[in-house]
Amino acid sequence: MSFLKSLLDGNEREVARLRKTVTEINALESSLTGLSDEELAAKTVEFRERLAPAVERLDAAKAQRLEAKEAPEQSHADAAVKAAFAALEDELNRMVPEAFALVREAAKRTLKMRHFDVQMIAGIALHQGRIAELATGEGKTLSATSPLYLNALPGKGVHLVTPNDYLAKRDAVWNAPVFALLGLTVGVIQSHPYGAAYVYEPGYEADDPHMNDLRAVHRSECYQCDIVYGTNAEFGFDYLRDNMARSPEEMVQRDLHFAVVDEMDSILIDEARTPLIISGMPEQSTDLYYRVDRVVERLQHERDYTLEEKSKNAMLTDAGITRVEEGLGVSNLADDVALMHHVNAALRARYAYRKDIEYVVKDGQVIIVDEFTGRMMFGRRYSDGLHQAIEAKEGVKIEEETQTVATITIQNYFRIYHKLAGMTGTAKTEEQEIRKIYGMDVVVVPTNLPMIRKDQPDVIYKTEEQKFRAIVGEIIQKHVIGQPVLVGTRSIEISERLSERLKIGERLQLQALIMVLREKLLAAKGLPKDQVEQFHELLNTKLDDLYIPKLSPVAKALDVPLDALDPANVDALKQMLEITTNHEVLIDALTDGIPHSVLNAKYHEREAEIIAEAGRKHAVTIATNMAGRGVDIMLGGTPPPDQVKTPTEVLLSSNITKTYPTKESAAVAEVGGLAIIGSERHESRRIDRQLRGRSGRQGDPGETRFYLSLEDELWRLFGDRGKWALGGWPEYERLEHGWLTAAIGRAQKKVEEHNFGQRKHTLEYDDVMNVHRDVIYKQRREILHGAVLKETILDHTYAMVEDAVARHCGSEVQIEEWDLRGLYDELDLLFDLSLAARPADLEGKTREELVEYLYDIAETRYEAKEQEFAQYDIDIRDAERQITLQIIDQKWVEHLNSMEYLREGVWMRGFEQKDPLVIYKKEAFEMFNALLDSIQDDMVNWMFHLVVRPQAPPPRPRSVVSAVPEDTHEAMSNGAPAAIAGNGKPKLPASPAGARRIGRNDPCPCGSGKKYKFCHLKTGDV
């Protein structure tokens, strides 16, 4: 049967193929055990020497690509780079058995851990640029060491990407001894404090003991390490910041060569809808947000606005538009795009985003809550004014709105890497999306020991109240017998509500009494039917609205003591919960509440410490979704160092029977291992699998169960419309029915499709921007690395002259009607034509002759400009680069904002039966071409108008270049590039408030009576 499975299952065939390579790795193990540490490190030098020819070929191909200017040359260079990468990959593939065996030996010596064969399978899959799906507890952290080492050998740098700072630092320090023994350097970047970066240095003592062995360095030094650990956000933001740099020295990253993404489903899927954005300075007042919120607050659902909860969107109805216009005192809301933007943001903030679900308010700040992990995302803000609108709604101080100066989506950032790999516990269900967007497939790696966890069927209740009571009942039962419990919730709110039910003894007594009364009522005979229904209705009342004396009619009718701690009631409760031992534990719980920890994913390091102890006997832990993800929960808790065998003794044992290092872990195993309780199904099946995976690691026993209700958000928004069929179902009864479980599965599938559609939608639009981004960033990098722009400037000058001649001397116009004076004045403004020619000199020439004549003058004027700069020892080539960088940056910011407005408004084209995406692509193409033209226009304008004047005071003469734009030439908004000091670094000119710009043809302010251009324009010392 297993043979048939391996024959039909593609994953089984792939795993079998990878096992052959693992056999080769295992065969080399004995040959390495006798080598000294120095001889192991020498292997790295040997490997690098073998790779040197392939690396040199790749470097040469990349250099050739940088020098290629024309399209055929670029195409040829791209092919050469691709072939060089393939050759390097072939060499690395041949080294897999040797390199992986070497890393295993290094891990045995430094970490006292030996890679399992299944970890080697995962490592090979990662090296091949695939997703390795390993069950929780199977050792993803160690699995990554082999492919990281192998791919670091070419010296191009590799990245290990984690979801948070804690895991980045922890994993770097854990694994660095392996790499250090083999002669590789390890760095780690952190988001706090800003710009934090460290290099692993054994024995280094930091001021903070948590940072021992990590020496603080500049990020550029950190990125020169062979292997760098960090978060996806920091890697992405560094990429964006590098593409905002004004000099090569400000850049920190190398080319993006190879990355392994830990918890890749969280990073590449869950966070893929949120782009990385770097914001600039504020542009407008915040008062309008408060005004608009006060108006929107008075609107009524359905009458004034409609709400789409799935997509978190709200839209005004016609009546709502009228009320908003009246409230804001405007006649037509549609005429003011900016105001409409504020109204839309206020609508979404007020009605689509909920406090303690999508965000929390803490210390006067609105903090986003990650919908997938439940973590508070400090430092993150909603874009498009939504965050400010929420701040107005909550009555806290509004942080001023900023403008986007650089942005990229997670998908497009990680697609820049030459090779990308990922590892997680759950990826197979998302393989189609992963393959489509990232071009990777998933290899499901088998567990090292058989999985013996029991996954119990879902329990479904009609109402949320009854579901919570059932969860608390099971927690009581598990806690009393000593079985540790981890309760997974979707939100901070649910965590706190469950916690409230557990921490106060009186509330537990109330629930216990209700349970006893319900059981007695169901067994009672002879009571009138209407009285029974009345009692059930009373017992169904929400716990918050009940108190024990209110239950006295039921207790009296059933002859049940009203004291929950009465021995008869305690015995009845024990019988219902099947508790036969630990009577005192039950009494303590009902008296003082159940001790428990609540993790809302706020502090990653603290939550890791708490979640690691969730396997202790009697422990109860409530956590939002995947709080503490990446941390193993060991049965019995983390054992003291003096009570546990060394990892080598455990992991090198030939006996695959599960053994436990401490008495505590064995005791927990006896009562069933870690119990996982899901408080509701997540909208993604993958997240549910992650929660289940916290139990049953490395062959441990365990148990999982999900409790659901028809009031859960998943069912309410995406469930089947068959709720009417359950009308006669008593709300206190539990259901375990196949068709309900199937219906919930269908609802989850709907949500997954909906979320995939959102991510696909985000990517489709960002792919358009990605083309623009690639072009602009490539141009910036070429300029930063010393590109000579003179030819570009003169070529565009020729194009501008040609365009001016075509406009003033059109082919459809008679020669006698040519506007030669207009042509003369226009080009005089561009490059001081009046210094070399008179209007009469343009007469009697054909269009072609005019173009050549005028361009020759422009070229001569530019050469004179070069000589002028040389006299003051200023490098005009550097001036060209610095001015162009400022122009590109300013124009790019404007383009980003224009594209955002286009994206917001293009959906309305759907009413015209047109595909908004097609319209977006078409108009974006036109806008980008206009951007490129505008950049070149400004380059020419600014370079022709830079003039040199001596800078005072004298002792040591320096020179300053000033930009004097013409009155008919529009300077770049918000700061045109202007002054370049003698060192070639530009700065923006400061103009007196309210000062009028002096035109070239205006009378000179000195009073000479001459035009400004013939008087003080050159000296600028009016």
Side-chain angles (χ1 to χ4, degrees), residues 600-629:
N600 286 333
K602 181 178 176 182
Y603 303 110
H604 296 148
E605 191 156 350
R606 176 63 182 146
E607 79 185 28
E609 294 171 1
I610 294 174
I611 205 78
E613 302 304 316
R616 289 199 179 277
K617 200 169 183 181
H618 299 289
V620 176
T621 308
I622 303 173
T624 48
N625 271 335
M626 299 311 297
R629 188 173 178 183

Side-chain angles (χ1 to χ4, degrees), residues 68-319:
K69 301 298 180 186
E70 302 300 327
E73 293 177 350
Q74 291 174 347
S75 178
H76 178 74
D78 287 340
V81 170
K82 187 175 180 180
F85 267 122
L88 177 60
E89 198 66 25
D90 288 342
E91 289 294 330
L92 291 173
N93 289 338
R94 282 190 281 271
M95 285 179 146
V96 166
E98 297 171 87
F100 277 46
L102 186 67
V103 173
R104 176 187 266 173
E105 181 61 30
K108 285 161 57 178
R109 298 186 186 190
T110 57
L111 305 181
K112 308 303 180 187
M113 300 181 76
R114 176 184 179 275
H115 294 69
F116 297 131
D117 284 358
V118 291
Q119 290 173 316
M120 286 298 185
I121 291 173
I124 298 169
L126 293 174
H127 164 67
Q128 294 173 348
R130 306 163 86 175
I131 304 294
E133 180 178 296
L134 294 100
T136 300
E138 291 297 307
K140 292 188 288 292
T141 304
L142 189 62
S143 298
T145 53
S146 303
L148 287 174
Y149 169 77
L150 177 59
N151 285 274
L153 291 175
K156 302 299 181 185
V158 298
H159 297 164
L160 191 289
V161 188
T162 69
N164 60 60
D165 280 342
Y166 167 73
L167 291 178
K169 185 187 73 173
R170 185 203 70 178
D171 293 356
V173 174
W174 274 5
N175 293 329
V178 176
F179 302 123
L181 177 62
L182 298 177
L184 298 188
T185 54
V186 177
V188 56
I189 59 175
Q190 299 276 278
S191 59
H192 299 290
Y194 175 78
Y198 306 88
V199 169
Y200 177 74
E201 193 173 287
Y204 179 82
E205 294 186 5
D207 295 336
D208 180 358
H210 290 94
M211 304 304 290
N212 282 343
D213 298 333
L214 294 176
R215 178 172 57 85
V217 296
H218 189 271
R219 283 219 171 161
S220 57
E221 181 181 345
C222 182
Y223 275 111
Q224 292 303 312
C225 291
D226 295 302
I227 300 165
V228 181
Y229 286 75
T231 66
N232 56 298
E234 284 306 296
F235 283 125
F237 284 133
D238 281 342
Y239 170 78
L240 292 176
R241 284 189 282 261
D242 277 359
N243 285 286
M244 297 166 60
R246 291 296 175 84
S247 68
E249 293 74 27
E250 294 177 21
M251 301 175 70
V252 296
Q253 283 188 343
R254 296 193 272 175
D255 286 346
L256 302 180
H257 180 66
F258 174 62
V260 174
V261 183
D262 190 11
E263 308 294 359
M264 58 73 49
D265 55 319
S266 173
I267 293 172
L268 298 186
I269 297 176
D270 296 339
E271 295 193 24
R273 283 183 285 173
T274 307
L276 300 173
I277 298 174
I278 294 180
S279 299
M281 297 300 292
E283 290 190 326
Q284 58 189 20
S285 168
T286 59
D287 294 340
L288 187 56
Y289 287 103
Y290 290 115
R291 280 184 54 211
V292 172
D293 181 70
R294 286 195 294 270
V295 173
V296 168
E297 184 182 13
R298 298 194 294 267
L299 301 180
Q300 293 182 17
H301 188 216
E302 298 299 344
R303 185 193 72 181
D304 299 323
Y305 69 91
T306 58
L307 181 64
E308 179 56 57
E309 289 188 75
K310 295 179 184 179
S311 57
K312 290 185 172 59
N313 272 324
M315 291 186 66
L316 289 173
T317 62
D318 290 342

Side-chain angles (χ1 to χ4, degrees), residues 957-972:
R958 296 179 66 196
S959 32
V960 171
V961 179
S962 298
V964 187
E966 306 300 331
D967 59 343
T968 56
H969 170 69
E970 183 64 28
M972 292 193 306

Side-chain angles (χ1 to χ4, degrees), residues 446-517:
T447 56
N448 186 52
L449 294 174
M451 175 69 72
I452 61 173
R453 183 187 69 225
K454 297 177 182 177
D455 294 330
Q456 305 290 0
D458 296 350
V459 174
I460 304 167
Y461 285 89
K462 195 171 184 179
T463 66
E464 186 180 61
E465 172 65 28
Q466 298 303 322
K467 177 187 75 173
F468 282 163
R469 292 183 187 182
I471 291 173
V472 171
E474 180 156 355
I475 291 173
I476 294 172
Q477 190 263 340
K478 303 292 186 189
H479 172 69
V480 171
I481 68 173
Q483 187 174 6
V485 180
L486 174 63
V487 183
T489 68
R490 281 195 61 188
S491 67
I492 295 172
E493 179 197 21
I494 300 299
S495 294
E496 291 176 346
R497 287 170 62 186
L498 281 172
S499 175
E500 286 296 322
R501 291 175 180 246
L502 294 178
K503 66 185 180 183
I504 301 174
E506 287 78 5
R507 292 179 70 86
L508 288 176
Q509 290 178 37
L510 176 59
Q511 168 153 341
L513 189 56
I514 291 173
M515 293 171 67
V516 172
L517 290 173

